[in-house]
Every structure is written in structure tokens, then in C-alpha cells.
Amino acid sequence: MTSRSPGARVRVPRAEREAQMLDVAEQVFSLRGMQAATMDEIAELVGVTKPLIYDYFGSKEGLFVATIERARGQLLTALIDSWVARPSAPPRERVRGAVHAFFSFVDEHAQAFALLRTEGSLIGDACASVERIRQQTAKAFAEGLATLPAFAGLEPRRVTVMAEVVIGGCERLAVWRTTHPGTSADEATELVVTTIWDGLSSVPDG
């Protein structure tokens, strides 16, 4: 058994260290906001030096953008997986699955979603990164809609607009839920699908 002297630094693979930095950064940014968060605090919580974080990400904004980009990739994967999971399911159920994937992601990645809600204070690359999430999320949803028989013959622009409406509704309801706890992912999904898919006329009078 090899002993290690006290205080000796363990060498961590770059990918693993980067994931650690992003995990901590996501937590700190969501708690304090980008402006108030400090690289000193993040470095201390990770257990590395501040220059090492700059070596990985270049700047605090670069680290912030990296956390958003990671969340973007995770959300896209969740949406795409939801579309391909049940190819023979009825169209409404496939749409429901994609909407539910969105709300499940928000619940499972609350810290990441909190970052996206700070957009009013973002500039430059960070603001552009948030907009890319919207665009690519809507694109993934539009591509999913296009696989449904009823949508196959529609003009692509129309399908894109429909996807924008659905994702916009999901995002606004997700924000509303943060200040009105108690609405589950299942309930939020039904609200969106009933309102958008079935139409407002499906809501009982009164």
C-alpha cells in the first residue's frame, strides 16, 4: 500500500476537474447571481487555485457561459431522447413526452434553470448563450413535430412557429412555478398540452 504525504495534491483528470468546477460554479452562480459570485469562492469550494479556473475557462464570464452551455446540451439530449423513445405512440402522447421532458429537466436541474432566469443582467457571450438555448430547444421541438404524420406536409416555417409557441409557454410556466410551488412536472405538462394542443376551447366554461 502506497502512502501519500499530508498535503500532497492528487492529480485529477482534466475532464473530471472541469466537471467539478462546473458543478460548483452552477451552484454559486444560481445562489448569488453572476455579478456577485466570485472566482475566489468557487476556487475554494472546488479545492483548486483561482488561476487554474482561469486556465480552464479564461474568465468568470467564460465559466458562466460554460455552465449554461452544459445545461443546454443536457436539455437538448433530454428532448431528443423523448421524441425517439416512443416512435409509434399517438402524436399527442409524443408531444406530451417532449413537454414532460422539459419540465423534468427543470426540476432535476433547478440550479441550471436558475442561471437562465438571470438573463436581464447578462451581456455579451452569456446573453448570446441563453438565446442559443432557446433557439436550439425550439429547433429540437420543431424537428420532433415534423416527424408526426399530421405535421409532415406543413410548411417548415409554420412548424417552427408552433415549436416556438410551445417552448415559450413551457418556459414561462417553468418560471411561474419557481414562485408558486406545488405544481408538479406532470401537472405542468398537462396544462401546456391541454392549452396548446387541445386548444383553449377544451377548457370548461367558467
Side-chain angles (χ1 to χ4, degrees):
M1 182 175 178
T2 304
S3 62
R4 187 171 63 244
S5 59
R9 193 177 294 275
V10 178
R11 187 172 184 83
V12 177
R14 184 179 180 90
E16 183 179 339
R17 179 66 78 193
E18 181 175 310
Q20 291 174 347
M21 292 178 182
L22 290 174
D23 287 342
V24 171
E26 183 177 296
Q27 180 181 17
V28 174
F29 283 135
S30 64
L31 179 65
R32 308 198 187 287
M34 179 184 172
Q35 302 302 325
T38 68
M39 297 290 265
D40 288 307
E41 180 180 10
I42 293 170
E44 181 179 355
L45 290 173
V46 177
V48 298
T49 63
K50 186 166 68 171
L52 184 62
I53 299 182
Y54 280 108
D55 180 59
Y56 274 60
F57 300 102
S59 64
K60 183 169 76 170
E61 183 181 13
L63 176 59
F64 186 82
V65 169
T67 62
I68 293 176
E69 288 295 320
R70 183 176 68 162
R72 175 190 63 79
Q74 293 169 337
L75 176 56
L76 283 177
T77 297
L79 287 176
I80 292 170
D81 287 349
S82 74
W83 280 114
V84 303
R86 300 173 62 197
S88 60
R92 188 182 189 279
E93 286 306 304
R94 295 189 68 195
V95 171
R96 186 191 184 283
V99 172
H100 191 270
F102 179 92
F103 286 111
S104 293
F105 175 86
V106 169
D107 287 350
E108 293 166 8
H109 300 81
Q111 292 176 337
F113 184 70
L115 296 179
L116 307 185
R117 289 165 39 225
T118 64
E119 62 181 295
S121 63
L122 304 182
I123 59 173
D125 290 343
C127 187
S129 186
V130 170
E131 181 56 28
R132 272 198 303 276
I133 290 177
R134 288 200 179 96
Q135 292 174 358
Q136 293 181 351
T137 301
K139 181 175 183 289
F141 204 94
E143 290 173 349
L145 286 178
T147 67
L148 304 179
F151 292 82
L154 293 180
E155 178 189 3
R157 181 175 179 274
R158 187 176 180 186
V159 177
T160 297
V161 170
M162 291 176 178
E164 291 280 357
V165 170
V166 175
I167 292 302
C170 288
E171 183 176 307
R172 289 310 308 163
L173 182 54
V175 171
W176 181 86
R177 288 171 72 223
T178 63
T179 56
H180 297 78
T183 303
S184 68
D186 285 338
E187 292 171 317
T189 297
E190 288 306 317
L191 285 169
V192 171
V193 174
T194 300
T195 301
I196 294 177
W197 181 271
D198 300 333
L200 292 173
S201 61
S202 67
V203 180
D205 292 339

